[in-house]
Amino acid sequence: GIRDSSVTGVQTCDLPIYSYVGVIEVDPDVVDSARGMGMSHWQILRRVELPLAMPLMFDGLRNASVAIVATATLGALVAGGGLGRYIIDGLQRQETPRLLTGAVLVALLAILTEASLQFVQRRLDLSRHDARHTVTAPGNEHSTSGGTVGTALR
C-alpha cells in the first residue's frame, strides 16, 4: 500500500549523486586558494565546496521531487490510492475522461512542484549572493578587507 509507494519515491531519489558531483566538480584552483589561506579539510568542505555545489544539489532535489510525484502514481497499482487511482480505474474501465483527468492532474502536480522549487531556488540564490562570491580566511570572518578570494569563486 502506502509503504510500497514510498519505496518508489526513495528509489528515484538521485540527490546524493548530484551532491557528490557538485562537490567534486568545484574548481580545484578555488580549493587550492582556500587551502593556501590555511583552511582545514572540513572548513573547505563547509565554506567553499558545499556553497558552490548548492545549485547542483538543489537541481537534484528538484529532479528527485518531480520524479517522486510522477512515479507515486504507481502506488495505485499496489492499492496505494492517490491520483494514480484515476489513471488505473480509467484504464480498467476504459473511461478515457477519468484516465485523462488523472494524467492531467499528475502532470500539473509535477509542473507545480518543479515551478515552486525553481522559485525557491532563485530566492535562495539571491539571498546567498554575497556568501557565494567570497571566501574568508580563518580568523578574518568579520573583516571587510584582505583575506578574501572574490573573483575565483564564480
Side-chain angles (χ1 to χ4, degrees):
I2 300 297
R3 186 174 41 190
D4 297 328
S5 298
S6 62
V7 170
T8 302
V10 171
Q11 289 174 347
T12 61
C13 184
D14 52 357
L15 182 59
I17 295 169
Y18 279 86
S19 301
Y20 175 74
V21 170
V23 169
I24 66 168
E25 290 297 319
V26 171
D27 187 1
D29 292 335
V30 175
V31 174
D32 285 341
S33 296
R35 193 172 291 121
M37 290 189 295
M39 289 187 181
S40 69
H41 172 73
W42 292 109
Q43 287 174 322
I44 292 171
L45 180 66
R46 193 178 82 239
R47 294 182 182 178
V48 178
E49 292 174 329
L50 286 178
L52 290 175
M54 210 47 92
L56 190 59
M57 291 167 65
F58 209 89
D59 286 342
L61 176 67
R62 279 190 7 235
N63 287 341
S65 298
V66 170
I68 288 169
V69 166
T71 58
T73 58
L74 297 175
L77 291 172
V78 290
L83 292 177
R85 191 81 251 158
Y86 289 106
I87 297 170
I88 300 302
D89 289 347
L91 284 171
Q92 288 176 346
R93 298 177 186 171
Q94 295 183 353
E95 294 178 8
T96 305
R98 183 181 292 234
L99 170 72
L100 290 177
T101 299
V104 168
L105 288 173
V106 169
L108 286 174
L109 186 58
I111 291 169
L112 182 66
T113 301
E114 169 71 19
S116 61
L117 288 175
Q118 194 172 43
F119 174 77
V120 169
Q121 184 177 10
R122 281 194 205 125
R123 299 298 290 175
L124 289 175
D125 192 38
L126 291 175
S127 65
R128 297 173 53 83
H129 180 72
D130 293 333
R132 227 180 4 167
H133 293 291
T134 31
V135 172
T136 307
N140 288 339
E141 288 86 0
H142 303 291
S143 173
T144 57
S145 63
T148 60
V149 178
T151 57
L153 291 180
R154 192 70 165 142

